[in-house]
Amino acid sequence: MMKRKIVVAVTGASGSLYAKVLLDKLEQMGDQVSHVGVVMSDNAKDVWRFELENEAYRDYKDFTFYSKHDFMSPFASGSANYDTMVVCPCSMGTLARIANGTSSDLTTRAADVILKERRKLILVTRETPLSLIHINNMASVTQAGGIICPASPSFYSLPKTMEELAATVVDRIFSLADLKIDSYRWGE
């Protein structure tokens, strides 16, 4: 099996727990993943500190973290062959910039690269209610080949903790990214 190269972008939308669970599970997927590059906005770090009351995003030593303005990072170019990008959580501002091809930072440049190279882009949107502008931006990204995966947890696996609840979304992300993970499947 070929190991995957994955970009994870964390934006300032509420939902840092989703990003934490995603990064925690990616750390355990060494047999499927060769490299994880991470970019976090300043707002993402602020929201993480507020919601999770820590700076544990600094503790992921197996991943390479890049500045939001580092256009020299490998995944700023299609030639680096990153095959999957997950924006988790994805703010509506980031969604809008991706939908309109506005590469104003590393997150939006990487998403632009993933889309132009016809690779897998998964946006874990975190907003409610949605305006028509949000819906139209989601349609634009979908038409360009991206996947909108709203951070809507499921309850049929009977999660007992907040992390287990967040994992229902993260497990869906892995499924969309064609990564194999042992998770609850309806009817099994």
Side-chain angles (χ1 to χ4, degrees), residues 158-171:
L158 306 176
K160 305 287 187 263
T161 66
M162 294 286 283
E163 285 202 12
E164 286 179 6
L165 189 61
T168 66
V169 172
V170 171
D171 289 350

Side-chain angles (χ1 to χ4, degrees), residues 14-176:
S14 179
S16 297
L17 184 59
Y18 292 112
K20 180 194 178 303
V21 172
L22 175 67
L23 294 173
D24 288 348
K25 287 190 173 216
L26 278 171
E27 273 190 320
Q28 301 168 12
M29 302 194 86
D31 59 329
Q32 296 181 64
V33 177
S34 66
H35 188 76
V36 176
V38 181
V39 59
M40 293 181 74
S41 70
D42 294 336
N43 288 343
K45 294 172 186 175
D46 291 341
V47 173
W48 184 301
R49 282 189 291 269
F50 179 78
E51 291 182 347
L52 302 180
E53 300 180 323
N54 64 49
E55 292 185 355
Y57 56 84
R58 298 176 184 268
D59 298 338
Y60 295 98
K61 304 301 182 206
D62 293 336
F63 306 149
T64 306
F65 281 74
Y66 297 89
S67 160
K68 67 180 182 175
H69 297 297
D70 184 359
F71 285 87
M72 298 303 290
S73 75
F75 49 86
S77 171
S79 64
N81 287 324
Y82 278 74
D83 49 75
T84 304
M85 180 176 184
V86 179
V87 183
C88 177
C90 181
S91 69
M92 292 298 106
T94 302
L95 167 69
R97 287 185 292 281
I98 292 169
N100 290 286
T102 306
S103 299
S104 57
D105 61 12
L106 182 55
T107 295
T108 51
R109 171 60 187 161
D112 194 33
V113 166
I114 291 288
L115 288 174
K116 79 178 184 68
E117 298 290 332
R118 307 295 191 266
R119 297 180 185 145
K120 195 158 287 202
L121 174 66
I122 302 167
L123 305 183
V124 184
T125 54
R126 245 304 285 126
E127 188 66 73
T128 189
L130 299 172
S131 74
L132 182 58
I133 294 168
H134 300 149
I135 293 166
N136 286 336
N137 287 335
M138 290 178 184
S140 292
V141 168
T142 301
Q143 290 166 346
I147 299 170
I148 305 298
C149 178
S152 299
S154 61
F155 298 90
Y156 46 78
S157 63
L158 306 176
K160 305 287 187 263
T161 66
M162 294 286 283
E163 285 202 12
E164 286 179 6
L165 189 61
T168 66
V169 172
V170 171
D171 289 350
R172 185 69 178 130
I173 294 165
F174 285 138
S175 181
L176 292 169

